[in-house]
Amino acid sequence: MTHIEQIETNTEAETFAVGKRLGESASAGDIYLLDGDLGVGKTVLAKGFAAGLGITEPVTSPTFTIVHEYEGRLPLYHFDVYRIGDPDEMYDIGFDEYLYGEGVCLIEWPERVEELLPDTAVKITINKDYEKGNDYRCIRIDN
């Protein structure tokens, strides 16, 4: 059964708080797919997620390195696979070991490696609606 939660935020702090709540409830082996256009707040949500795991170091998007690893209550493996040309490239970095390890995976641009992802992954989609304000976000969580 699919459970869908939809949350509307109107500030960066509210988007951060959604991520923090998700991080606080995350368990080892969880996989979160973070989907949305450029500039919708994926990194803000990721920063909140890391805070929810007790990570205090600065969190940045791993656009050029593919993955950043952080230590908190659980290890966080933050992926940005935007620059991946072929999903098989992910095996070169041990992607399956990250997915099925003791940490939590947060993957930006998951559609680029969709065939490598388990059906149990939680999908988080962030959308903007400028008619509702520049900082308005609609965050949909499918798990």
Side-chain angles (χ1 to χ4, degrees):
M1 176 184 286
T2 299
H3 174 262
I4 298 171
E5 180 179 3
Q6 190 163 297
I7 303 162
E8 295 180 356
T9 65
N10 292 293
T11 66
E12 191 173 294
E14 290 176 0
T15 300
F16 181 94
V18 171
K20 185 174 182 185
R21 180 178 59 89
L22 290 167
E24 288 170 345
S25 65
S27 299
D30 285 352
I31 301 166
Y32 294 84
L33 312 177
L34 193 48
D35 192 25
D37 292 334
L38 288 170
V40 297
K42 293 186 300 290
T43 301
V44 170
L45 192 133
K47 288 177 180 184
F49 194 98
L53 287 171
I55 295 165
T56 57
E57 65 186 285
V59 173
T60 58
S61 185
T63 303
F64 296 101
T65 58
I66 301 177
V67 64
H68 285 166
E69 297 182 28
Y70 302 96
E71 288 299 323
R73 175 176 61 82
L74 296 167
L76 173 62
Y77 308 121
H78 182 197
F79 291 88
D80 182 329
V81 296
Y82 183 79
R83 298 187 182 284
I84 294 295
D86 181 337
D88 287 340
E89 293 175 39
M90 297 301 287
Y91 290 116
D92 295 339
I93 64 165
F95 188 57
D96 52 339
E97 293 173 25
Y98 286 108
L99 286 182
Y100 303 107
E102 295 300 313
V104 177
C105 292
L106 184 61
I107 304 169
E108 296 187 35
W109 303 100
E111 67 277 5
R112 299 200 182 259
V113 295
E114 190 170 21
E115 60 266 29
L116 305 179
L117 302 170
D119 293 337
T120 56
V122 175
K123 184 173 183 183
I124 304 166
T125 306
I126 305 175
N127 289 301
K128 288 173 93 169
D129 184 342
Y130 289 107
E131 291 181 14
K132 294 185 177 185
N134 194 43
D135 291 326
Y136 172 86
R137 302 290 186 274
C138 180
I139 302 169
R140 179 184 163 122
I141 303 167
D142 296 279
N143 55 1

